Amino acid sequence: MTSKKQYMHDHFFNPLDEPKSMGVDLLGNALIEHDEVYKAEDGFFLISALTKAQKEMAKALKLRRVEL
């Protein structure tokens, strides 16, 4: 790789390097690949966007924790 190509790669946006969008969860939060979610019957809940009480409820409902 030439120095010009290396500079372009290091300093400018490359859409191929960006994570893929996976849609939205049941609460409207954006999901991207490799996010950790709780899997419900009809969709997902993004773990990082949930409150402590919502996380406890997900555990009580025995929702599975998965990575997209």
Side-chain angles (χ1 to χ4, degrees), residues 1-8:
M1 184 179 287
T2 66
S3 61
K4 182 179 179 180
K5 285 184 181 180
Q6 185 65 42
Y7 179 82
M8 295 293 282

Side-chain angles (χ1 to χ4, degrees), residues 8 17 23 34-36 38 42 50 52 55 59 68:
M8 295 293 282
D17 293 341
H34 305 298
D35 273 343
E36 287 192 22
Y38 284 119
D42 54 344
L50 297 178
K52 184 177 180 179
K55 289 177 185 177
K59 290 177 186 176
L68 294 177

Side-chain angles (χ1 to χ4, degrees), residues 13-31:
F13 173 74
N14 185 352
L16 298 177
D17 293 341
E18 291 299 308
K20 294 179 185 172
S21 174
M22 305 297 283
V24 296
D25 71 355
L26 294 171
L27 300 174
N29 299 303
L31 298 172

Side-chain angles (χ1 to χ4, degrees), residues 45-56:
F45 292 104
L46 180 62
I47 291 175
S48 63
L50 297 178
T51 64
K52 184 177 180 179
Q54 289 170 325
K55 289 177 185 177
E56 293 298 322

